[in-house]
Amino acid sequence: MKIFRISGGIHPKGNKELSAEKAIEPVPMPSVLRIPLQQHIGAPAVPIVAKGDVVKKGQLLAIARGAVSAPVHAPTSGRIVAIGRFVAPHASGLPGATITMRPDRRDEWGERLPALDPATAEPSALAERVGSCGIVGMGGATFPSAVKLNLRSRHALHTLVINAAECEPYLTCDDRLMRERTDDVFDGIRIMAKALGVAKVLIAIEGNKPEALAALTGAARATGDKSVAVVKVPTRYPMGSEKHLVQTLTGLETPARALTADIGIVVHNVATAYAVYKAVRLGEPLISRIVTVSGKAMVRTGNFEVLIGTPIHHLISHCGGHVEEPARLLLGGPMMGQPISSTRASIVKGSNGVLALAESEVPSGKTMPCIRCTACVVACPCGLAPFDMAQRIRNDELDGAVKIGLLDCLSCGSCAWVCPSHVPLVQYFNYAKGKLTAEQRAKHKQEETKRLSQFRDMRMDKLKKAKQEAMAKMMAEREAKKKAELAEAADEAKVTE
Amino acid sequence: MSMATPLGGPFTHSGASISRTMTLVMAALLPATIFGLYQFGWPAIFLFLVTVVSAVLAEFLALRMAGKPVMPFISDGSAMLTGWLIAMSLPPWAPWWVGVLGSFIAILLAKHPFDGIGQNLFNPAMVARTVLLISFPVEMTRFVAPMPLGSADAPGFISALEITFGLGSHFDAMSSASFLGSVKTQLGQAERLPDILASGYHPFALAFGTVSGSTGETSALFLLAGGLFLLATRIISWHIPIAMIITMVALSGIFHFIDPNHFLGPVMELSSGTFIFATFFIATDYVTAPSTPLGKLIFGAGVAALTFLIRTFAAYPEGVAFSILLMNATVPIIDHTIRPRIYGRTRKGVPIQHKPK
Ligand code: SF4
Ligand code: SF4
């Protein structure tokens, strides 16, 4: 298949050899599971259980709220011991609403949804199943998958792209999943294609995963399904960016501020496909995921099947702890992942990696002034001028930064990766984006207040007017009455005369 | 702004650094430099040392005055490179004070008043060269014919000290005009170009560098090799060099074709003077060049066109330094007008329209 070139991008050291050959292993049951209610983009889920409740594995704990949200299920059987705020797996370390449960170690399934046969099920039923099983994009973006499977109603879709690029260094969880559970993954992909009603599926895998490529190619051949093509894409970061992946595969550039669906293409992560398989074929909600544990500060690296809600420290100690005090502890890959503020935080649906990087793996450059070398311009896959945006942000010219593309930035970090001056470019961009969102929110609030007060004024005006009108009417009536009485009296007088 | 945000990625890095870049540029300069110093002997070596040391000294003073941390900036290698580039563009037997003055002008007038590295509008080495040329035309145009180290005519260590640090008494006897200078003079005397060239200039001598000139203008071939090394290591992009070379070849080619008696051909123009040196080592200076590929093409074409015009029609035989400074002044406008195309948008910045297949 013809591959199209995208501009920009970088070739960071993969470091995948640290875990690529380690088969997926289960993790012993932790003594406590802490399940955040916000594991997806959108509104947090709303709990329907209470402290003290005894729940079964797979039981619904919290329901989705609104159109963009996802429900949360019990990863095992046990007792709910708390519902409250707990440290969330965010860089901020701010607490979020969390259900805490104590496993009873019996791991008993509750009622499971009946299996669906994708051959006979309605596409909308498949999407609904994905939604009710709490599946979200598992590549890290955590967008509720059902919403993306329902795009058919509003867009003319023709292609499903499966993002199996796994372009972040260190991460091998998708690689292992494809190698070890090939048929299930492939089945999930075909179910998604069915739900979307597309005629063509492209599975994109970076060239540095030959085994996964071979496995899925074999699966495609075995089914004889000609509509599915497995495509080897160049090993180049950020190949996993939706729009760039689509362009690499089809040559189509997604317009700014638009979705790939606007050009007829939907992108789903390969791990999501596996979750879809489980939801549709087995009726199992999303209660576990594959996580890569890696980094030279780890005693043992590997790929693990981890229950959602497992404390990060449990996973780390299962891997033997650290060789040395890690210089960096990250959730996700080293390019776009986040520092872990507390290892008491949990593995959630979007957690693809726990990395403990040793001193030797962490860049140590001092930040120097920008020398306008334009390496960042060359590296940016979005055609931006990062040094210029950073300069404007530094001068507090947020509007200027927006004008030259700040909101088109992916925060992929390619620019900062190449910068010889170690300018923390992404930090500038994230700071500015955060500030803009806050400003917008404040403006929104202000407008809302204004609207409300205007509304009140209007109501008062109306009331006043109504009162006045009523008064005037009364006066008029009284006047008329008086006149009539007078006239009557006069008439009477006339008569008597 | 304040950076009270939580620390964000990426948590990995390419390993690039300013000092690595500067080191690679110096490595690229090394063959041409060694050859030049060999050709012009001890006086050139002394001048080189004087210039480099005084550039670092000037940087130190400037950092101290600005209250900036000295170590990280001195060790980035940028001041050393500036001194090196100045040494390359001076007549190799110039007296020591020319070198010191050049470095001080570059660092203290062209670099630090603009707030140091990354901020200066004009290329420091070219500012230094231009100010020196205007202020000290005699010292700046007094060249010598190559006398390789160890050859019979070459000055020994002691007499070299005399040449660089003394009063330059036995200098005049040996002075010789640079190639472009003498061509200009002789053309001015209504001679025909082929006759002038026939009297002893060979394109090969110009390319290899066995002619008089500044250290950095002699060996076009060694400089070209260094330039290719910079391209291969991606320290520089091809846009500026290619635009410069093509423009120079086109302009000189056209004029030479029309009147070969008065205009040097492309080969001569490329291999003489500091053109190749400037193409790879000066015009490509990050700080003072445009930031987009298209901007770089325009900049390179501008430098070459101006160089050709100055060399051919103006009073100075060599025009590279002026041209670079003039084009430096246009960089803010170029960068303002020519922006990279943002993904998913047209050059004008509006979202692209999709024609359904
Ligand atoms: S972080 Fe933004 S500016 Fe930097 S390379 Fe990625 S998209 Fe471009
Ligand atoms: S890579 Fe760094 S030094 Fe180079 S232009 Fe970009 S911000 Fe400046």
Side-chain angles (χ1 to χ4, degrees):
Chain A
M1 211 186 101
K2 185 172 157 43
I3 290 285
F4 297 83
R5 234 191 96 92
I6 52 169
S7 67
I10 53 172
H11 297 98
K13 195 164 169 286
N15 288 313
K16 307 240 184 196
E17 68 286 350
L18 289 175
S19 57
E21 296 315 317
K22 309 264 175 85
I24 300 168
E25 285 175 48
V27 176
M29 184 68 71
S31 57
V32 67
L33 289 170
R34 291 203 176 86
I35 306 141
L37 293 175
Q38 173 115 50
Q39 301 188 41
H40 50 266
I41 288 178
V46 181
I48 55 164
V49 289
K51 186 176 165 183
D53 284 3
V54 172
V55 297
K56 287 280 194 292
K57 183 172 182 168
Q59 185 179 329
L60 190 60
L61 298 182
I63 53 171
R65 186 180 68 182
V68 181
S69 186
V72 170
H73 302 79
T76 184
S77 54
R79 181 187 293 275
I80 307 295
V81 292
I83 298 179
R85 300 182 79 73
F86 194 79
V87 54
H90 270 165
S92 66
L94 292 177
T98 306
I99 295 178
T100 304
M101 68 177 284
R102 203 166 287 287
D104 59 16
R105 303 194 177 272
R106 285 199 289 270
D107 205 26
E108 272 172 2
W109 275 98
E111 245 176 82
R112 250 181 288 189
L113 291 165
L116 285 176
D117 181 2
T120 55
E122 282 297 313
S124 56
L126 295 172
E128 200 192 304
R129 168 61 61 91
V130 168
S132 61
C133 283
I135 297 175
V136 301
M138 291 170 75
T142 66
F143 191 84
S145 302
V147 181
K148 263 167 104 177
L149 285 180
N150 269 325
L151 288 170
R152 186 174 25 99
S153 50
R154 270 173 292 140
H155 300 268
L157 303 178
H158 50 78
T159 305
L160 164 65
V161 166
I162 294 297
N163 183 354
E166 199 165 54
C167 62
E168 276 267 11
Y170 293 93
L171 301 187
T172 55
C173 50
D174 290 351
D175 186 10
R176 290 312 308 186
L177 183 67
M178 288 187 277
R179 282 154 78 169
E180 296 181 38
R181 302 180 190 175
T182 316
D183 292 338
D184 299 346
V185 168
F186 195 77
D187 193 31
I189 292 170
R190 294 218 293 171
I191 295 171
M192 287 213 236
K194 174 89 197 296
L196 286 162
V198 294
K200 201 160 117 196
V201 181
L202 300 173
I203 304 172
I205 305 175
E206 279 191 349
N208 60 357
K209 290 177 265 296
E211 291 90 351
L213 268 162
L216 279 174
T217 309
R221 202 168 294 144
T223 56
D225 190 342
K226 288 275 184 298
S227 66
V228 184
V230 181
V231 189
K232 178 168 133 182
V233 294
T235 305
R236 181 187 207 140
Y237 180 87
M239 193 47 78
S241 148
E242 275 194 11
K243 292 181 178 181
H244 293 89
L245 187 59
V246 164
Q247 194 183 14
T248 304
L249 295 172
T250 65
L252 297 175
E253 186 170 329
T254 310
R257 311 262 126 252
L259 302 171
T260 57
D262 291 315
I263 56 171
I265 301 164
V266 177
V267 183
H268 278 286
N269 180 269
V270 68
T272 314
Y274 179 67
V276 167
Y277 152 82
K278 279 190 157 178
V280 171
R281 294 281 189 190
L282 313 175
E284 285 184 19
L286 179 54
I287 52 171
S288 69
R289 67 154 301 142
I290 319 286
V291 182
T292 299
V293 177
S294 191
K296 295 198 174 126
M298 285 306 304
V299 169
R300 194 158 72 87
T301 60
N303 298 287
F304 300 90
E305 179 137 33
V306 186
L307 290 182
I308 303 298
T310 301
I312 293 169
H313 62 73
H314 177 77
L315 188 56
I316 291 175
S317 56
H318 174 63
C319 291
H322 301 307
V323 180
E324 62 177 69
E325 185 60 30
R328 286 266 179 224
L329 204 54
L330 304 176
L331 197 58
M335 293 300 300
M336 290 187 74
Q338 295 187 319
I340 293 170
S341 54
S342 161
T343 54
R344 299 185 341 145
S346 317
I347 295 296
V348 288
K349 295 173 183 177
S351 317
N352 44 13
V354 170
L355 303 184
L357 303 184
E359 199 68 54
S360 63
E361 294 174 283
V362 176
S364 58
K366 228 194 223 94
T367 298
M368 296 285 286
C370 164
I371 52 170
R372 290 175 47 97
C373 69
T374 67
C376 54
V377 180
V378 176
C380 179
C382 296
L384 303 172
F387 76 97
D388 198 353
M389 295 200 302
Q391 172 79 34
R392 289 175 195 222
I393 294 165
R394 214 176 296 128
N395 296 342
D396 258 323
E397 297 167 28
L398 287 198
D399 292 342
V402 170
K403 215 161 114 200
I404 61 168
L406 176 65
L407 299 178
D408 292 281
C409 164
L410 297 170
S411 290
C412 71
S414 302
C415 51
W417 186 79
V418 295
C419 178
S421 291
H422 292 260
V423 178
L425 294 159
V426 180
Q427 278 189 64
Y428 279 115
F429 306 151
N430 287 345
Y431 158 84
K433 287 178 197 166
K435 197 163 166 191
L436 283 171
T437 320
E439 268 169 21
Q440 219 160 35
R441 216 177 283 139
K443 210 168 115 196
H444 215 76
K445 209 165 160 188
Q446 217 175 23
E447 268 164 16
E448 189 65 16
T449 325
K450 208 163 118 195
R451 205 176 61 82
L452 283 176
S453 82
Q454 268 172 354
F455 189 68
R456 195 175 134 258
D457 288 352
M458 240 158 65
R459 222 177 46 212
M460 295 304 261
D461 267 5
K462 234 191 201 156
L463 223 73
K464 217 157 112 192
K465 238 195 223 142
K467 231 187 214 159
Q468 274 170 355
E469 268 166 23
M471 199 84 130
K473 207 165 143 200
M474 228 164 73
M475 295 289 265
E477 271 170 14
R478 207 179 280 166
E479 201 86 336
K481 215 169 165 188
K482 228 187 228 164
K483 247 190 210 155
E485 274 169 14
L486 276 177
E488 223 169 84
D491 277 352
E492 261 170 39
K494 236 187 235 165
V495 172
T496 36
E497 264 174 19
Chain B
M1 60 166 282
S2 77
M3 292 274 281
T5 37
L7 208 56
F11 301 96
T12 163
H13 194 267
S14 60
S17 68
I18 300 183
S19 54
R20 180 176 170 269
T21 303
M22 298 294 164
T23 309
L24 285 172
V25 175
M26 292 185 224
L29 276 171
L30 210 54
T33 309
I34 291 176
F35 182 70
L37 296 182
Y38 162 73
Q39 291 242 77
F40 297 109
W42 284 111
I45 295 171
F46 291 148
L47 183 68
F48 178 83
L49 293 175
V50 162
T51 311
V52 169
V53 169
S54 56
V56 175
L57 189 71
E59 178 85 6
F60 175 79
L61 291 175
L63 290 170
R64 274 316 255 298
M65 283 191 294
K68 289 186 184 173
V70 171
M71 252 341 266
F73 284 97
I74 286 274
S75 61
D76 70 14
S78 66
M80 183 175 169
L81 179 61
T82 301
W84 190 324
L85 293 173
I86 293 171
M88 296 290 277
S89 55
L90 293 178
W93 284 21
W96 65 274
W97 54 267
V98 169
V100 172
L101 211 53
S103 289
F104 275 60
I105 291 168
I107 305 280
L108 298 178
L109 289 183
K111 185 178 180 184
H112 279 278
F114 294 88
D115 204 21
I117 189 166
Q119 300 291 326
N120 48 297
L121 185 57
F122 296 100
N123 181 288
M126 290 301 102
V127 171
R129 193 192 135 85
T130 304
V131 172
L132 288 173
L133 184 63
I134 295 171
S135 316
F136 307 100
V138 178
E139 284 78 3
M140 286 297 288
T141 52
R142 210 155 46 179
F143 294 97
V144 289
M147 279 168 268
L149 268 180
S151 68
D153 306 334
F157 190 85
I158 302 295
S159 48
L161 282 175
E162 174 79 10
I163 290 170
T164 308
F165 298 99
L167 298 169
S169 48
H170 56 215
F171 184 96
D172 291 331
M174 285 177 268
S175 76
S176 124
S178 72
F179 169 71
L180 284 175
S182 74
V183 167
K184 182 135 220 147
T185 321
Q186 293 178 60
L187 275 178
Q189 292 155 358
E191 286 186 52
R192 288 171 65 250
L193 194 51
D195 300 338
I196 303 171
L197 296 181
S199 68
Y201 284 109
H202 194 276
F204 183 75
L206 282 172
F208 197 66
T210 50
V211 292
S212 67
S214 66
T215 315
E217 66 180 280
T218 54
S219 180
L221 284 182
F222 280 127
L223 290 164
L224 183 66
L228 293 178
F229 170 76
L230 291 183
L231 282 173
T233 49
R234 307 239 175 153
I235 295 292
I236 60 173
S237 77
W238 56 269
H239 303 84
I240 292 175
I242 293 293
M244 278 181 75
I245 290 172
I246 288 181
T247 308
M248 185 53 107
V249 167
L251 283 176
S252 58
I254 291 168
F255 278 82
H256 183 68
F257 180 75
I258 294 171
D259 184 359
N261 287 337
H262 286 98
F263 299 103
L264 287 170
V267 176
M268 288 286 185
E269 287 286 2
L270 289 186
S271 58
S272 66
T274 45
F275 191 77
I276 292 294
F277 172 62
T279 298
F280 291 102
F281 296 95
I282 303 286
T284 51
D285 168 29
Y286 297 146
V287 182
T288 56
S291 60
T292 55
L294 183 59
K296 284 176 179 159
L297 291 175
I298 295 171
F299 177 83
V303 170
L306 286 171
T307 303
F308 178 76
L309 290 178
I310 294 172
R311 279 183 177 184
T312 314
F313 300 109
Y316 287 94
E318 172 71 296
V320 179
F322 292 126
S323 309
I324 287 179
L325 293 180
L326 283 169
M327 288 309 292
N328 283 163
T330 70
V331 168
I333 307 169
I334 294 180
D335 268 351
H336 186 77
T337 356
I338 293 164
R339 306 209 58 89
R341 185 179 75 81
I342 297 175
Y343 190 93
R345 294 180 187 274
T346 64
R347 275 215 168 269
K348 289 214 177 76
V350 293
I352 53 173
Q353 290 295 316
H354 244 284
K355 357 167 212 350
K357 314 194 276 186

